[in-house]
Amino acid sequence: MDLSNIAIVGSFETDLGVVTDRGPMALGVQATLGAIADAGLKPSAIDGLITCNSLVTPIMYHAEATAEYCGLTPRHCLSVGTGGGTTYTALRYAAAAIQTGLASTVVVSMADSMRSFMTRDRAMAVQSSSGHPHFEQPYGPTVPAYYALIARAHMDTFGTTEAQFAEAMVSSRAWAHQNPTAQYRERVTVDDVLASKPIADPLKLLDCSIVSDGGAAVVLTTLERARDLPHAPIVLKGYGEGHHYEHISQATDLTQSAAADSGKAAFEQAGIQPTDIDLAQLYDCFSPALLIQLEDLGFCEKGAGGEFLASGATQPGGKLPVNTHGGMLSHCHPGNPGAIFGLTEAIRQYRGEAKERQLPHLEHTLLHAQGGIMSSHATVVLGRAN
């Protein structure tokens, strides 16, 4: 189904990083109402709401509860749970709701408070419960350990080095240094990353994403309606999903992911190639995840991700700007909502509001995220309306 008649018309980010005076629901409500106002709409104009549940304070009917707190009475409510990939899966559900008449104007909203409101016991429970209850959990690995397996497999197969993985954080901080809302803005070197605290061999502390509080929301509607609203519409050009496994013990190859499937589908629907992408916003929860996405999405050859990062291609002035807000390694990562800030940054870039980090030319943007341990992948291509 053609997506080009679906437009993003509103966007809002809450305070990010360490936010001690508002919990997940308060941040989600702020983001929802802020995005509606940014779109130049009244709350009564919203007839669809899609949210992602909170890991800190989960609610059984999360979307309905968010609507209640916002004073909304939407015809269509949906809570989506595909882990870190939820943002872009939710975008497609919002588009489908509009295309099928379930709603005409939909808010996608998500927030969490992983930094300030999650207890240590709860954090450890979340970290240790992601594995298969029979084949993985009994051995005690946490999430970083699973990504360390992926990193080690890539090193053994392709000769990738720890220094090349470190380039992910170097690139992230180079962009975050230009972003006043980033949680961590100080530049780092490869040596800084390699010298940081060991977490799960071969990953160091600075190979891992940060822990944050924050929320954001976007508003989608038809392109026809969007032309009457304050901001130039940004349209969905392509979408794809890929699912190879749920638990990493069932992966047939740790060095390849279903991003290859989701990316191929999104590119085909958009009618473009990886070389047409001007900005890529990728899910950098850990440095090996970013590297493998660059390969599987077609931005470099398989096995060449380390060299690609080390070349500076993803940094300011490089041929493929990646995560211009600083990504989850430096900007903000409040759990499952982490990818939505890649979307709000893309919107900021399209509007010409990125200031020091503003890209000189932007036609096509690729957004990609994954949930689980490189498990559930979703890819979106954005573009300007004709």
Side-chain angles (χ1 to χ4, degrees):
M1 188 178 291
D2 183 22
L3 290 175
S4 60
N5 65 327
I6 305 298
I8 300 172
V9 295
S11 174
F12 187 85
E13 292 180 358
T14 69
D15 292 335
L16 308 172
V18 181
V19 186
T20 59
D21 62 341
R22 279 156 286 164
M25 181 55 71
L27 289 170
V29 168
Q30 181 190 9
T32 301
L33 296 177
I36 295 169
D38 179 70
L41 297 169
K42 295 181 179 180
S44 58
I46 304 303
D47 55 5
L49 177 65
I50 300 178
T51 69
C52 174
N53 214 334
S54 164
L55 286 174
V56 175
T57 55
I59 298 173
M60 183 175 293
Y61 303 106
H62 189 270
E64 289 84 349
T66 302
E68 179 180 87
Y69 277 101
C70 290
L72 304 176
T73 56
R75 289 189 289 138
H76 183 60
C77 262
L78 179 65
S79 299
V80 179
T82 50
T86 298
T87 296
Y88 305 140
T89 304
L91 277 188
R92 185 61 185 98
Y93 288 157
I98 295 168
Q99 290 172 317
T100 58
L102 288 175
S104 62
T105 305
V106 181
V107 177
V108 173
S109 176
M110 51 195 71
D112 218 334
S113 302
M114 302 285 284
R115 179 67 176 263
S116 299
F117 286 76
M118 179 168 275
T119 65
R120 180 177 178 82
D121 288 346
R122 173 66 175 156
M124 289 308 299
V126 170
Q127 285 284 327
S128 61
S129 64
S130 61
H132 192 285
H134 302 306
F135 305 122
E136 295 171 12
Q137 289 183 29
Y139 300 96
T142 58
V143 172
Y146 293 125
Y147 281 94
L149 286 175
I150 293 171
R152 181 59 67 187
H154 206 278
M155 295 170 74
D156 291 345
T157 303
F158 300 110
T160 308
T161 66
E162 293 178 39
Q164 288 173 330
F165 286 129
E167 294 283 2
M169 175 59 85
V170 173
S171 177
S172 169
R173 288 293 180 88
W175 287 110
H177 184 70
Q178 302 178 18
N179 185 358
T181 69
Q183 190 171 340
Y184 292 99
R185 300 184 61 200
E186 183 179 354
R187 288 181 179 271
V188 298
T189 65
V190 168
D191 287 341
D192 292 330
V193 179
L194 296 179
S196 63
K197 179 181 177 180
I199 299 298
D201 184 62
L203 302 183
K204 315 297 191 296
L205 179 64
L206 293 182
D207 286 303
C208 308
S209 57
I210 58 181
V211 181
S212 314
D213 309 320
V218 297
V219 182
L220 293 88
T221 191
T222 62
L223 180 57
E224 180 181 9
R225 186 177 191 190
R227 296 193 188 281
D228 295 327
L229 298 176
H231 301 291
I234 302 162
V235 297
L236 305 186
K237 295 282 191 178
Y239 177 79
E241 288 185 26
H243 309 274
H244 284 182
Y245 58 84
E246 199 219 334
H247 297 102
I248 193 170
S249 59
Q250 306 309 305
T252 57
D253 186 341
L254 292 176
T255 68
Q256 299 194 41
S257 76
D261 299 337
S262 63
K264 180 181 178 182
F267 282 126
E268 287 180 353
Q269 187 171 36
I272 62 171
Q273 302 293 326
T275 52
D276 296 313
I277 295 298
D278 304 304
L279 167 64
Q281 300 288 85
L282 307 181
Y283 199 85
D284 57 340
C285 54
F286 295 89
S287 56
L290 178 67
L291 187 151
I292 287 175
Q293 288 169 64
L294 287 167
E295 296 174 350
D296 290 349
L297 292 166
F299 295 118
C300 61
E301 294 295 323
K302 194 65 195 173
E307 296 175 3
F308 189 78
L309 281 171
S311 73
T314 63
Q315 298 187 33
K319 65 179 182 179
L320 179 69
V322 172
N323 295 340
T324 53
H325 58 319
M328 293 181 290
L329 288 171
S330 299
H331 173 261
C332 178
H333 188 19
N336 290 340
I340 198 168
F341 302 99
L343 171 58
T344 53
E345 167 69 7
I347 294 168
R348 192 176 293 112
Q349 288 281 352
Y350 275 112
R351 292 180 180 180
E353 299 172 352
K355 298 181 179 179
E356 186 178 353
R357 65 190 186 282
Q358 181 65 48
L359 301 180
H361 171 77
L362 180 57
E363 182 60 38
H364 294 109
T365 295
L366 181 135
L367 309 168
H368 181 84
Q370 55 91 16
I373 313 300
M374 299 293 282
S375 305
S376 178
H377 292 256
T379 308
V380 175
V381 175
L382 300 179
R384 299 184 186 275
N386 295 328

